[in-house]
Amino acid sequence: MKKLLLLSLIAMGTMAYGKEITAIPVIVEESVVETKDQIIEKEEIITPTAVMEEVIVEDIIQPKKNNVYLRTGLDVWSQYDSHSIYHNNEGIKLTNGKSKKMGFEVAVEGTRSLTNNIEVGLGVAYQNHAKAKSATIANNEITAGKYDSAPVYVTGKYTFDGFSNGIRPYVKANVGYSFNFNEKDGVVNGVKYNTNVDDGLYYGAGVGMEYNNMIMDVMYQANQAKMSGNINGVSSKKSSFDYSRVTLSVGYKFSY
């Protein structure tokens, strides 16, 4: 009886121990499988999110390429070339080049941004030049003529990196062809001097600054011209009558 009881206890203990041993691999395998599945699922979710963020950033930083400038300015200093009437190799000086009052201009420019700093484009302007100052030269009372211009030109601009306050300095240059018109006749000792002005080269260069699409600059500009005239039927040969000045301008920049 005792032997039978002892064998029963041994058998029960062996079965219990066998169950514990077989249960251990099942738990380990399930935990490993679950952990790998979770890692794979997380990687699949994270990867497309990172790609979407990169695409959004590229769209935001895309710069605007085209610009339109509307500008107006005043000639704070100006002068003409000295001009003389020549007939039979004798000359009478009409003006020593001094001007009076201020000239003004309005202009439209369209540019394309090649980089964040460099722009090139085309411009057109109407320029109302200052009048030539009257003078007494060699006992002759003289009021010289004047003219206006409409240049068509190529323009280039280099904008430097801005300061912390948002101001961006720049340099610019223009070169083109000046269509000169609206000639005003002069007067020599009370006699009208009929003038004729030819077209010529136009150029300019200057410095300025840009702030929140507002611009301000100072430029040296010149319109080349040759003028001839006629007094009482006596014609004069052509001679230089260029108009040079320093122009202070303000304007606004549209970008798209």
Side-chain angles (χ1 to χ4, degrees):
M1 185 68 179
K2 290 181 179 179
K3 290 183 179 180
L4 181 60
L5 180 59
L6 181 59
L7 290 173
S8 299
L9 291 174
I10 291 171
M12 292 174 61
T14 302
M15 292 175 62
Y17 180 73
K19 289 181 179 180
E20 291 177 357
I21 293 174
T22 56
I24 291 172
V26 173
I27 295 171
V28 173
E29 290 177 358
E30 289 179 355
S31 64
V32 172
V33 172
E34 290 177 359
T35 304
K36 289 182 178 179
D37 290 341
Q38 291 173 357
I39 293 172
I40 292 171
E41 290 176 0
K42 289 180 180 179
E43 289 178 350
E44 290 176 351
I45 294 172
I46 291 171
T47 301
T49 304
V51 173
M52 291 174 62
E53 290 176 352
E54 290 177 358
V55 173
I56 292 171
V57 170
E58 289 178 357
D59 290 341
I60 292 173
I61 64 175
Q62 185 67 29
K64 295 178 180 179
K65 294 290 187 180
N66 302 302
N67 311 286
V68 175
Y69 293 87
L70 302 179
R71 52 195 304 128
T72 184
L74 290 174
D75 300 339
V76 296
W77 171 87
S78 62
Q79 72 172 19
Y80 289 92
D81 284 353
S82 60
H83 180 74
S84 299
I85 299 173
Y86 286 92
H87 182 66
N88 293 331
N89 295 322
E90 294 184 3
I92 299 174
K93 183 178 284 189
L94 287 183
T95 174
N96 55 16
K98 294 181 180 181
S99 63
K100 62 180 180 179
K101 298 184 178 180
M102 283 186 175
F104 69 90
E105 68 175 52
V106 290
V108 179
E109 296 173 352
T111 67
R112 173 93 172 163
S113 297
L114 302 182
T115 69
N116 289 334
N117 303 96
I118 299 174
E119 299 175 36
V120 294
L122 297 173
V124 61
Y126 166 71
Q127 298 169 339
N128 187 305
H129 302 322
K131 295 180 178 180
K133 195 171 185 178
S134 301
T136 300
I137 302 174
N139 297 320
N140 294 298
E141 294 294 330
I142 297 171
T143 300
K146 63 155 283 186
Y147 61 95
D148 298 330
S149 300
V152 178
Y153 54 91
V154 176
T155 184
K157 178 183 175 187
Y158 183 89
T159 305
F160 298 92
D161 294 334
F163 299 110
S164 57
N165 57 8
I167 294 176
R168 300 188 69 192
Y170 62 82
V171 294
K172 75 184 301 274
N174 302 335
V175 62
Y177 193 76
S178 177
F179 297 93
N180 304 319
F181 62 99
N182 198 27
E183 300 97 329
K184 302 295 183 183
D185 294 335
V187 177
V188 180
N189 292 332
V191 179
K192 182 180 288 188
Y193 173 56
N194 299 310
T195 59
N196 181 46
V197 178
D198 291 343
D199 302 329
L201 181 68
Y202 160 75
Y203 58 90
V207 297
M209 61 182 180
E210 181 179 319
Y211 178 74
N212 284 346
N213 288 8
M214 296 293 296
I215 59 170
M216 177 182 293
D217 54 45
V218 177
M219 293 190 66
Y220 173 80
Q221 302 182 94
N223 300 75
Q224 294 184 349
K226 288 187 178 295
M227 185 170 74
S228 61
N230 183 293
I231 297 179
N232 290 334
V234 179
S235 297
S236 173
K237 66 180 182 180
K238 294 179 181 178
S239 62
S240 176
F241 198 48
D242 299 351
Y243 179 70
S244 305
R245 73 275 191 194
V246 173
T247 306
L248 175 64
S249 298
V250 295
Y252 192 84
K253 172 184 176 182
F254 299 90
S255 298
Y256 60 95

